[in-house]
Structures are given as structure tokens and as C-alpha cells.
Amino acid sequence: MSNRPLPPQEPLDSFGANIFPAQDHPNAARILAAVIATISWFAFVAQTDITIGRLLSRGGGVLDGLERLSMYLTNLTILLGALCFTSLALSLKTPLSRFFRQPSVVSAIVTYLAFVGIAYNLLLRRLWTPTGFHALVNESLHTVVPLLAIVYWIFFVPVFQASLRKSLLWLVYPLGYLFVTLWRGALSGFYPYPFINVSTLGYPRVIVNSSLLFAGFLALMALFIVVNRSGKPAFLRR
């Protein structure tokens, strides 16, 4: 094992100037980002079509389908992932692209994708068994994209300065989703996941379930931050 120094921590607006590890494989990073973006857009568009079609068959409309689509954390997170990895693949100069190319933002989105994959495979997979095209879309959403995103993060995302304030910003998305979903559920009576279904479980049980899920997300976020702060030393060995 060599004494190669850890890479310097990158300022938040410099992604692409010095990708991890130190521009060894810029083409590989761009190709993998493009693959993840393509799969993400495929899965999101396909899931949109499936959801709208399901609502139309039940007498609803396109707007009803889009509303239902937006109630699932998986769909919202895969859309974030699609936007993020498209920005990484194309390196556009737009403000939105620069936002999604920040190391801390990429890290947060990869954490969200990892959480979605873990939560689905631990808690929801046994509830239904899709087949054919639906199975392909389902695995793309919950397994393929999260795993590829983690691989990208490990090898290509620069080490960034993880202050407490920046880390707390990662919590806005999952907490915002929970509060909005419970509010929408109270109005419509529809809850996208059984463990937050107030109609069947009641608020005390839903609060407990939500707290456990939030604790799991905090543990996952802490793991990503710890690995980031370590400089990812396992991948600097030659």
C-alpha cells in the first residue's frame, strides 16, 4: 500500500474540475452517469405511463395519474436522480446543472436513492410480485439505479466539506415528503405506503413507523458522511 495522500476537499461549485479520484477516469465517470441517467429516465417515464394508465382504467384522468405518481417517494427520487445524473453526464453550464453537480447535492441524492432501494427491498418487496415489463421497471427503480448510483458515488464524487448545516439540509427532502404525504392523505384518504397509512394504523403507530424510518435514514446519511470524511481511503490503495 502506498503513502498516496488523500484528495483535497473540493469547494461546492467545482465539480467536474477535479473528479474523484483526481481525474484518473473522467470518461468512465461521464459514461456511467449517462447510463444511470438513461435508466432513470426510462424507469420514470415507464412508471408514469403505468400509473396514468391504471388511473384511466379506473375512470380517472391524466391529472389524477400525475397526482398519484407524485405521491410515491420512489418516483420523486428517481426523477431527482435522472436530473442529477443527466447534469453530470452533459456538464451543462446552466444554474440547474451546476446545482446538481455539487458534490454535496450528488451525495444527498445518492443517499436518497440508496434509502429508497433499501426500504423497498426490506419492507415492500414481499407485498407484490410484478412480472414482465412491470418487473423490469420495478427493478430499475428500486435496485439497478440505486446500486449504480452508489458505485458512481464511491469512485467518482469528490470529497466535500460536510458541515453540520449542509448535512441538516439533506433532511429537508425526506421530512418534507413525509409531512406533505400525510397532509395529502388526510385530504384524500390515500396513503402510498402501508406503514404510513393513518386510515388503518392510526397516527400513533404511523408516528412510530415514521420515526424508525427516519432513524434508518439518519444512519444511512451518517454512513455516507463518514465515508466522505475518511477520504474514501479503501479506493486510494494501489
Side-chain angles (χ1 to χ4, degrees):
M1 182 173 67
S2 68
N3 294 322
R4 179 179 174 178
L6 298 181
Q9 292 189 332
E10 298 293 330
L12 290 182
D13 62 353
S14 66
F15 190 86
N18 186 21
I19 62 173
F20 183 85
Q23 295 198 23
D24 284 348
H25 307 289
N27 292 331
R30 192 180 297 276
I31 291 170
L32 181 55
V35 169
I36 298 172
T38 300
I39 298 173
S40 299
W41 283 118
F42 157 76
F44 180 76
V45 172
Q47 187 59 49
T48 301
D49 181 68
I50 291 170
T51 303
I52 292 176
R54 186 183 299 127
L55 267 292
L56 289 175
S57 68
R58 297 174 182 174
V62 173
L63 292 180
D64 297 319
L66 293 175
E67 180 184 16
R68 183 62 54 88
L69 183 81
S70 69
M71 294 190 75
Y72 286 89
L73 182 64
T74 295
N75 300 331
L76 297 175
T77 306
I78 209 73
L79 177 59
L80 281 178
L83 292 170
C84 176
F85 284 98
T86 298
S87 297
L88 294 172
L90 299 179
S91 297
L92 301 177
K93 301 301 182 181
T94 65
L96 184 64
S97 176
R98 288 179 60 83
F99 170 78
F100 278 114
R101 290 163 58 205
Q102 296 177 51
S104 62
V105 173
V106 179
S107 299
I109 291 175
V110 172
T111 305
Y112 303 149
L113 289 167
F115 179 76
V116 163
I118 292 170
Y120 174 82
N121 284 285
L122 290 181
L123 302 176
L124 299 172
R125 179 173 287 278
R126 69 183 185 277
L127 298 182
W128 75 309
T129 307
T131 58
F133 183 71
H134 287 198
L136 175 63
V137 175
N138 186 64
E139 293 305 322
S140 298
L141 289 167
H142 298 109
T143 304
V144 177
V145 170
L147 286 176
L148 290 178
I150 292 171
V151 170
Y152 184 95
W153 184 82
I154 289 172
F155 288 103
F156 299 118
V157 176
V159 176
F160 65 95
Q161 297 176 359
S163 67
L164 178 61
R165 182 182 66 84
K166 293 171 185 174
S167 300
L168 290 177
L169 288 175
W170 290 23
L171 304 179
V172 172
Y173 175 67
L175 288 177
Y177 170 81
L178 177 62
F179 289 135
V180 170
T181 299
L182 292 178
W183 171 69
R184 292 173 72 178
L187 295 177
S188 66
F190 176 79
Y191 297 89
Y193 301 108
F195 39 79
I196 58 170
N197 192 330
V198 176
S199 299
T200 58
L201 300 177
Y203 277 105
R205 179 63 182 274
V206 167
I207 291 173
V208 171
N209 290 346
S210 300
S211 299
L212 292 174
L213 287 168
F214 184 65
F217 177 79
L218 285 177
L220 184 63
M221 184 182 80
L223 176 62
F224 272 82
I225 291 175
V226 167
V227 173
N228 170 77
R229 291 179 66 88
S230 73
K232 304 178 184 177
F235 300 95
L236 293 175
R237 296 170 186 168
R238 295 290 186 269

